[in-house]
Amino acid sequence: MSVVSLLGVKVLNNPAKFGDAYEFEITFECLEQLQKDLEWKLTYVGSATSSEHDQELDSLLVGPIPIGVNKFIFEADAPDLKRIPVSEIIGVTVILLTCSYDNREFVRVGYYVNNEYDSEELNSKPPPKPIMERVRRNILAEKPRVTRFAIKWDSEDSAPAEFPPEQPEADIVEDDGAAYGAEEAELEAALIKEEAALGPEDADEEMAGADDTAGAPDTAAKVEDDEDSDAGSEDLEAESSGSEDDDIEDEEGEGEGDEDMEMGEDAENKPVAPQEAHNGQSIGEASHGEVMVH
């Protein structure tokens, strides 16, 4: 939190001749009693390409500062023409109004300044050597650029943090680079260990199961053939005793169950047939019920 806050800056003599003094009415607020004075400065930027031509027009110490809102007039002389490149006298430049406490700058206000002749003829065709008596400056007071900085005031508590806060928990967390690929390596090691524990015969059985699964269409064809043969026997039974239709249906159900058991011996991974659902509840529903119990 800043102890001194800039509330406003008013440019008094604007526009003015190039050689006239600068005048600013500055209003600021002080929240605490300060041990030292405030230092205000006005800097004229002589060149946009080099800071060697910057001029400190004036500086002013203000203090002691009473608590509350304060106002004063800051005046500064015009820049020295000898320190400004001739090619950059006419045109747009910048002035900087700054304030510091104990050699620590905490606020900066920048203004664009347009230096031009007082006639359209001279502006359209400027002479090789500037005629300074005809040059006028216009400060764009409506568009200042204000920059604030956090500084240490009189108490240590007001000092801004120079470094980010310590985070001891961050050192405990394992580095992502060290853990990269650890899960994949652990999974691969577990698979190798499982294959070694199974042995060759178990591995052959697993491969056989995989072949049966891959050959599901052939198995389905075999089932259809068996069903066709069963269907023929059913017809024979129906011709011999037509009154026993209900018993035949029961025997068909039992025959299909035996057929599924025989196929299960050959291919353990075959999906469960829909007829194994009981009481109108599918296998998926039964499994879902078990999950809900857990």
Side-chain angles (χ1 to χ4, degrees):
M1 179 179 178
S2 180
V3 176
V4 177
S5 300
L6 181 63
L7 300 181
V9 178
K10 183 178 180 180
V11 182
L12 298 181
N13 57 337
N14 187 54
K17 294 182 179 180
F18 184 87
D20 292 346
Y22 291 86
E23 295 183 7
F24 300 92
E25 181 182 87
I26 301 173
T27 305
F28 65 93
E29 182 180 14
C30 184
L31 302 179
E32 299 178 4
Q33 189 67 45
L34 297 177
Q35 300 177 1
K36 300 179 181 180
D37 298 339
L38 297 177
E39 183 179 13
W40 296 84
K41 292 182 180 180
L42 184 63
T43 303
Y44 183 89
V45 178
S47 175
T49 59
S50 175
S51 60
E52 297 179 356
H53 303 285
D54 293 353
Q55 300 183 42
E56 182 180 314
L57 303 182
D58 203 348
S59 63
L60 176 65
L61 292 176
V62 178
I65 306 298
I67 298 176
V69 178
N70 300 272
K71 183 185 295 185
F72 71 99
I73 303 297
F74 181 31
E75 296 184 2
D77 295 333
D80 185 4
L81 290 175
K82 297 179 182 179
R83 300 178 57 182
I84 303 175
V86 176
S87 60
E88 300 195 39
I89 293 178
I90 305 299
V92 179
T93 186
V94 174
I95 57 173
L96 300 174
L97 178 64
T98 62
C99 187
S100 304
Y101 181 75
D102 196 15
N103 295 324
R104 292 185 288 269
E105 181 180 341
F106 65 89
V107 66
R108 176 185 302 175
V109 184
Y111 293 97
Y112 287 108
V113 180
N114 185 23
N115 297 319
E116 60 181 1
Y117 289 104
D118 56 1
S119 67
E120 292 294 337
E121 182 180 358
L122 291 176
N123 288 324
S124 60
K125 295 181 180 180
K129 184 178 180 179
I131 305 175
M132 300 309 302
E133 295 80 6
R134 305 289 301 273
V135 177
R136 297 178 64 83
R137 69 161 188 260
N138 183 16
I139 302 174
L140 302 182
E142 296 80 8
K143 298 181 179 180
R145 184 181 180 88
V146 182
T147 307
R148 294 178 173 84
F149 308 94
I151 67 168
K152 174 183 175 297
W153 298 87
D154 292 331
S155 62
E156 293 294 337
D157 296 337
S158 63
E162 297 181 0
F163 303 97
E166 296 182 0
Q167 299 178 352
E169 66 278 2
D171 298 333
I172 300 176
V173 179
E174 186 177 359
D175 187 9
D176 293 340
Y180 181 77
E183 295 181 358
E184 290 78 358
E186 184 179 354
L187 179 59
E188 183 178 359
L191 292 175
I192 295 174
K193 184 177 179 180
E194 183 178 357
E195 291 177 358
L198 289 175
E201 296 180 358
D202 296 335
D204 294 339
E205 291 180 359
E206 289 186 357
M207 292 298 295
D211 294 340
D212 293 340
T213 304
D218 296 338
T219 304
K222 182 178 180 182
V223 172
E224 291 178 357
D225 295 337
D226 293 341
E227 289 178 354
D228 294 339
S229 62
D230 292 341
S233 62
E234 290 169 4
D235 292 337
L236 292 175
E237 292 176 359
E239 292 176 359
S240 61
S241 57
S243 62
E244 298 178 357
D245 292 339
D246 297 336
D247 296 335
I248 291 173
E249 291 179 358
D250 296 337
E251 290 176 2
E252 288 177 2
E254 293 175 1
E256 290 175 357
D258 296 338
E259 186 175 298
D260 292 337
M261 291 297 294
E262 292 175 1
M263 292 303 299
E265 293 177 359
D266 296 335
E268 297 177 358
N269 297 328
K270 181 179 180 298
V272 179
Q275 61 267 22
E276 294 183 6
H278 300 286
N279 299 328
Q281 183 181 18
S282 65
I283 299 300
E285 293 176 352
S287 301
H288 181 67
E290 293 178 359
V291 174
M292 292 301 293
V293 172
H294 290 291

